[in-house]
Amino acid sequence: MLKITTVNKPLAKIKTDFIAVYHLSEKNNLNSVQNSLDQQLLKLVKNKIKQTGYKGEKAGENLLVENCSSNQTKYIFIVSLGKEKDFNSHYLREAAGLTLQTAKKLHCQNLAVEAPSLDSLPPIQTIQALTEGLLLADYSFDKYKKNKSKSKLKEAVIATNKHSAQIVKTGIKLGKIYSQAQNTARNLVNEPPQFLYPKTLADIAKQISQKSSYISVKIFNRKQIEKMGMGAFLAVDQGSDKDPFFIHLTYTPPQPDKNKIVLIGKSITFDSGGLSLKPSDAMLNMKMDMAGGAAVLGVFSVLDKLKPKAEIHGLLPACENMPSGKAIKVGDVIRASDGTHIEIANTDAEGRLTLADALTYARKLKPDFIIDLATLTGAAIVALGDDIAALMSNDKTLEDRLKQASDLSGEKIWPLPLPTEYKSHITSKIADIKNVGKRGSAGTISAGLFLQHFVKNSNWAHLDIAGPAWIEQPEISYLPPGGSGFGVRLLLTLINS
Ligand code: BES
Ligand code: ZN
Ligand code: ZN
């Protein structure tokens, strides 16, 4: 793993293969570059700017200066953070990710980057974002490849001569913890579904609790799930040969502040659609349908290190959605643990069924608020694309806290309404409710309204992460293709605030 260290020195004095400097576009007179480099290096940069016409106006725009052989340094890499008024910590991670990718490609053994001083982001968060960009970009899933990606890059030094050692240390520490949690979630999402099924998630939850001083776990098997009356969750599992598990993790803080939070993650370890079978192309990445659960496990895997003050519960209703002679049928009516009868109108709308029973369980814990994360609807991708999760909530304060956490963590969310009028979309002729809405109309919202039925009056937010949970095209430097681990940084930021 890449080692992140720090020295209290100007960049030009560090012995390294690769130097990176970031600047805001208003300062593209390269003030910051000027202050960071010595005369010799600066001359090389100035020449290169003349040659290339580099302006650095757009975030991510960059300039590579090669053959700086007169010095220890072989390369200088300048990256723009964009306009100050548009600044978001995302651009720092993007710049750090680009830095890592470029230094790796050039076979550098080490690199040094200067932590910029920014008006709109405190130094701890600046250094944290830099660290995250480096460590998240360095991730690869090559467990099943003969040729593992071997990188010569072993160390990244964050140079700071403006900030106190304590601030720098804290920023790096947080960046490492958040990245480790996110990479844990990525590993789970990327694992093939024949190796990762409900029992695997239960075992991982057990391991997390065994390693921890503050986390306990309850794992409910089929019989116990039946006893709890979770007919909606069990209906989804019905077609599968694998046993379902209802996983309940509890973090009890060493210094409690009396707040209680429940996090729920959709944990369908493979979504074939069931009898409403998905076409092959749509099924291709459906091992990722447990990305919500993976994010919750990722969060729990680092709680011992973060030691937040709130009591935190993590719930994963884990099963597969498979077709078979035993599978639920379209037209079946099932009974959820709160007594609601649900008409199954499409067996591919399975996530909301598992979440219905998890929400009822969550409510009984009497938390201050509940957040669920779910790869719930393809319609969320139609509405918001691959980068942004849909947020639905019945609690304005929680919504605001999530928006703040989103800004800081760089994980994008956008609100959708839960209009009472649309409840008619999910009324059933023969049961209390049905599991799909109107065809081609507000699919993400009708899923949200379905969940809200089970939430009752609890404070709650629902994040439909169908888009950002999986990266198809590498468009963002620190998000390699595959499971993204979306939601981990967002939740950790919220918990830690
Ligand atoms: N897991 C899918 C949603 C999904 C789609 C996640 C694409 C990630 C990428 C979910 O279980 C599903 O199949 N939803 C259906 C609901 C429909 C039948 C009402 C959908 O979105 O098509
Ligand atoms: Zn489905
Ligand atoms: Zn699904």
Side-chain angles (χ1 to χ4, degrees):
M1 203 180 96
L2 183 70
K3 201 168 132 195
I4 312 270
T5 56
T6 173
V7 288
N8 190 350
K9 265 189 198 172
L11 262 186
K13 294 244 161 68
I14 299 172
K15 285 192 179 147
T16 182
D17 294 345
F18 189 101
I19 279 181
V21 187
Y22 308 148
H23 67 91
L24 288 162
S25 66
E26 281 87 351
K27 295 184 182 157
N28 71 355
N29 53 15
L30 297 181
N31 267 342
S32 47
V33 181
Q34 221 141 29
N35 297 335
S36 312
L37 302 175
D38 62 14
Q39 286 309 317
Q40 202 181 5
L41 294 177
L42 196 61
K43 209 171 141 197
L44 290 167
V45 173
K46 281 188 172 158
N47 281 340
K48 189 82 184 184
I49 289 177
K50 253 194 210 144
Q51 273 172 30
T52 57
Y54 172 78
K55 290 214 171 65
E57 279 166 356
K58 261 187 20 212
E61 210 178 321
N62 57 72
L63 180 77
L64 179 70
V65 186
E66 294 169 273
N67 300 323
C68 316
S69 51
S70 55
N71 197 286
Q72 164 92 23
T73 307
K74 295 186 195 115
Y75 304 97
I76 305 170
F77 190 52
I78 314 279
V79 191
S80 169
L81 300 171
K83 292 199 179 85
E84 187 149 30
K85 71 171 178 46
D86 299 331
F87 181 78
N88 177 289
S89 65
H90 160 72
Y91 297 119
L92 269 174
R93 292 183 196 86
E94 175 69 10
L98 282 171
T99 302
L100 181 114
Q101 282 177 352
T102 311
K104 250 186 171 175
K105 259 187 224 144
L106 296 166
H107 307 290
C108 295
Q109 294 187 14
N110 42 50
L111 67 84
V113 48
E114 186 166 78
S117 291
L118 300 161
D119 293 336
S120 46
L121 195 69
I124 291 187
Q125 277 91 337
T126 300
I127 291 160
Q128 179 184 347
L130 264 183
T131 308
E132 287 169 3
L134 292 166
L135 290 175
L136 293 170
D138 196 37
Y139 173 86
S140 64
F141 188 76
D142 51 16
K143 196 173 165 184
Y144 300 105
K145 284 195 171 176
K146 198 183 269 169
N147 295 328
K148 313 262 182 228
S149 62
K150 277 207 190 91
S151 158
K152 285 198 178 131
L153 190 70
K154 294 287 176 262
E155 190 184 12
V157 180
I158 298 182
T160 54
N161 50 2
K162 296 176 204 103
H163 310 304
S164 80
Q166 198 49 43
I167 282 179
V168 180
K169 259 178 75 182
T170 309
I172 292 180
K173 186 180 149 210
L174 287 170
K176 281 185 184 168
I177 293 175
Y178 282 41
S179 311
Q180 189 201 328
Q182 185 165 349
N183 286 338
T184 297
R186 287 170 166 184
N187 280 338
L188 295 174
V189 177
N190 287 329
E191 190 65 31
Q194 95 258 41
F195 300 129
L196 189 141
Y197 43 92
K199 171 81 165 46
T200 326
L201 289 179
D203 289 343
I204 287 160
K206 255 187 228 160
Q207 279 168 25
I208 290 174
S209 129
Q210 274 161 8
K211 277 195 207 146
S212 152
S213 322
Y214 310 110
I215 298 172
S216 62
V217 68
K218 277 192 249 171
I219 311 251
F220 298 94
N221 62 21
R222 185 191 304 276
K223 264 213 172 114
Q224 295 163 313
I225 300 168
E226 274 166 10
K227 230 178 167 178
M228 293 191 288
M230 294 184 168
F233 173 36
L234 282 172
V236 177
D237 169 72
Q238 226 170 274
S240 163
D241 290 337
K242 294 271 191 287
D243 278 332
F245 288 96
F246 189 91
I247 304 164
H248 176 186
L249 288 149
T250 305
Y251 162 82
T252 311
Q255 292 166 304
D257 66 359
K258 296 221 170 79
N259 278 315
K260 198 195 276 190
I261 304 174
V262 183
L263 306 175
I264 307 178
K266 174 174 171 183
S267 300
I268 301 294
T269 59
F270 186 71
D271 182 11
S272 71
L275 288 181
S276 312
L277 197 65
K278 285 182 187 292
S280 282
D281 283 355
M283 213 188 282
L284 190 61
N285 297 320
M286 277 304 141
K287 65 174 183 183
M288 60 87 112
D289 216 16
M290 36 60 76
V296 173
L297 288 175
V299 165
F300 270 80
S301 72
V302 298
L303 289 182
D304 265 47
K305 290 186 183 158
L306 272 184
K307 295 190 187 57
K309 292 199 168 85
E311 180 180 311
I312 305 170
H313 296 262
L315 306 179
L316 286 79
C319 70
E320 278 185 343
N321 185 23
M322 296 293 280
S324 87
K326 293 183 295 177
I328 39 163
K329 294 174 280 292
V330 173
D332 280 353
V333 171
I334 58 175
R335 186 181 187 277
S337 52
D338 72 337
T340 301
H341 281 95
I342 306 166
E343 178 193 359
I344 304 300
N346 188 319
T347 66
D348 198 11
E350 82 299 336
R352 62 197 77 181
L353 300 174
T354 64
L355 295 174
D357 283 334
L359 285 164
T360 300
Y361 185 102
R363 220 162 24 85
K364 290 182 187 156
L365 296 169
K366 299 208 173 3
D368 294 283
F369 60 82
I370 303 169
I371 300 174
D372 78 74
L373 281 88
T375 45
L376 208 60
T377 63
I381 311 177
V382 177
L384 296 171
D386 292 330
D387 292 355
I388 307 171
L391 162 69
M392 282 144 275
S393 177
N394 61 6
D395 177 356
K396 187 81 184 69
T397 316
L398 178 57
E399 197 173 322
D400 289 344
R401 279 187 67 182
L402 277 163
K403 279 186 198 151
Q404 261 174 22
S406 165
D407 270 347
L408 270 178
S409 66
E411 295 200 303
K412 296 190 187 113
I413 60 177
W414 196 256
L416 287 181
L418 290 167
T420 314
E421 304 76 42
Y422 285 11
K423 283 187 185 167
S424 61
H425 292 203
I426 50 171
T427 51
S428 162
K429 290 199 180 76
I430 97 156
D432 300 314
I433 193 169
K434 64 175 177 173
N435 77 332
V436 293
K438 261 197 209 170
R439 180 180 284 271
S441 174
T444 302
I445 292 175
S446 52
L449 286 168
F450 182 93
L451 299 181
Q452 193 180 22
H453 173 92
F454 298 90
V455 166
K456 320 266 190 248
N457 292 323
S458 302
N459 299 323
W460 158 77
H462 160 54
L463 290 164
D464 193 330
I465 60 169
W470 185 262
I471 308 290
E472 199 57 51
Q473 299 291 337
E475 279 159 2
I476 297 173
S477 67
Y478 59 94
L479 296 177
S484 65
F486 184 94
V488 171
R489 296 201 316 274
L490 177 75
L491 290 178
L492 288 175
T493 307
L494 179 94
I495 287 168
N496 222 14
S497 66

